[in-house]
Amino acid sequence: MNRIIISLVLALSIIAGSVSISNQAAALEPDYAKWGKLAVQETASKYGAEIVDYKYEGRYPDSSEAVEERFKLRLRRGAEEFGVRVSVHVHLRTNAPGKIDFERLD
């Protein structure tokens, strides 16, 4: 009986530990990471190029109901390298993306 209880306690502590680790990993990811992934995906698709560098430029007010998450990406297509500023507009109430703007920098 004691072995069963000890095994049960051990199993529960292992499960609790793994849940805690995954929660900590999620907490370490910055708020803008979700929008950065979207910016990278949409930019690679639009320009048909490899993303070679990524920089988060910050959050800017867009309106009373939205913010702009801004990223600067460096792209490589063949021998050509160029920059693109990507703005992901996010609705504050729903935390859903709106339009995405692209500005070629070079």
Side-chain angles (χ1 to χ4, degrees):
M1 181 71 165
N2 285 339
R3 285 184 182 188
I4 294 172
I5 292 173
I6 291 171
S7 297
L8 202 59
V9 168
L10 243 132
L12 289 174
S13 63
I14 290 171
I15 292 169
S18 66
V19 169
S20 175
I21 290 170
S22 67
N23 287 343
Q24 288 173 359
L28 294 176
E29 189 172 89
D31 293 338
Y32 63 82
K34 165 173 149 176
W35 308 119
K37 290 174 188 172
L38 180 63
V40 166
Q41 179 183 19
E42 294 296 317
T43 303
S45 175
K46 178 178 175 64
Y47 290 94
E50 173 189 7
I51 310 296
V52 294
D53 197 15
Y54 164 101
K55 179 182 178 188
Y56 176 62
E57 293 189 316
R59 174 180 270 203
Y60 300 88
D62 189 31
S63 69
S64 63
E65 297 178 3
V67 293
E68 174 187 345
E69 298 285 4
R70 196 177 296 165
F71 304 88
K72 185 176 180 183
L73 305 177
R74 193 92 190 135
L75 286 72
R76 182 180 300 135
R77 184 173 45 210
E80 178 187 26
E81 257 194 46
F82 56 97
V84 174
R85 177 168 287 120
V86 184
S87 299
V88 179
H89 301 268
V90 180
H91 301 285
L92 291 172
R93 188 172 41 83
T94 61
N95 199 36
K99 68 178 181 167
I100 300 174
D101 296 320
F102 303 90
E103 175 189 359
R104 188 164 169 158
L105 301 173
D106 297 334

